[in-house]
Amino acid sequence: MLDGTAYGVVLNDRDERQALSGAFGEPPYGKPPVAPVLYIKPRTCAAPSGAAVALPAGMEVRVAATLALLFTRDTAKAERGRAFDGVGAVRLALDLAQPHASYYRPAVRELSRDGFLPLGATAPFDASLGKATITTLVDGQEVHAWSLSRLARSLEDLIVDISSFMTFAAGDLLLVGLPGDAPHATIGQGVEARCDGLPGVRVQLVEEALA
């Protein structure tokens, strides 16, 4: 389901950055981020489309639909104009997380539960997807749509910037950004992400069985 590491990027939505512009001036940093802000989803987070994702009773989750770039060969110090050479495919992804207010500490418990990264089937990569619109549905009703044209760093910029200090290995995924206004869902609801030209991804949120 996931052969490598899934890297995600937060604070890459221009609308979200604008909304947080005042907070960026406060301690501990005092200014907006000047480099990509990364997090990791462990392999146990990966789930196929159609899966049931178990949540503790009463938990609500943020359901952030995004694009995942799949690297099919090692990529380090990518040059502009050739940044996509190592990208062999793409997948739609639903990045699930328990809502949390702060980016200033590692939110491992909130981000990394089993099944918290449902993935659609792979599709060929096309650079035009950098402007694609991704739609989220909850119980069959559209509740959110966002265009990747909102990304502060483009797909190419992300690969160039991140690969300047680390290598993407074959099998790794790069989740290119999350909408700051992503919707929430809870136990009993079905969630789906769609994007023209790509296989969709859907999951059912269920209550975790008691041990």
Side-chain angles (χ1 to χ4, degrees), residues 8-13 16-17 24 29 31-39 103-104 152-154 157-166 174 176-177:
V9 185
V10 295
L11 299 177
N12 197 34
D13 173 8
E16 181 184 26
R17 289 171 69 103
F24 286 149
Y29 296 118
K31 62 181 179 181
V34 296
V37 182
L38 302 179
Y39 62 99
Y103 288 109
Y104 301 137
R153 281 184 171 82
S154 68
D157 289 341
L158 285 173
I159 296 171
V160 170
D161 290 349
I162 298 170
S163 71
S164 69
F165 63 86
M166 58 168 268
L174 176 62
V176 301

Side-chain angles (χ1 to χ4, degrees), residues 42-129:
R43 294 187 190 186
T44 53
C45 289
S49 182
V53 177
L55 306 178
M59 179 180 284
E60 182 180 68
V61 289
R62 179 209 68 198
V63 288
T66 189
L67 189 71
L69 306 183
L70 175 61
F71 288 84
T72 51
R73 73 183 197 190
D74 293 358
T75 299
K77 295 180 172 54
E79 298 177 359
R80 197 164 300 281
R82 299 197 61 181
F84 301 129
D85 287 1
V87 179
V90 294
R91 312 175 78 163
L92 271 184
L94 279 168
D95 189 319
L96 308 185
Q98 185 178 2
H100 58 286
S102 177
Y103 288 109
Y104 301 137
R105 62 179 179 83
V108 176
R109 182 184 181 91
E110 292 88 347
L111 294 175
S112 303
R113 288 182 176 273
D114 291 354
F116 265 29
L117 185 60
L119 296 167
T122 58
F125 172 73
D126 187 315
S128 66
L129 288 168

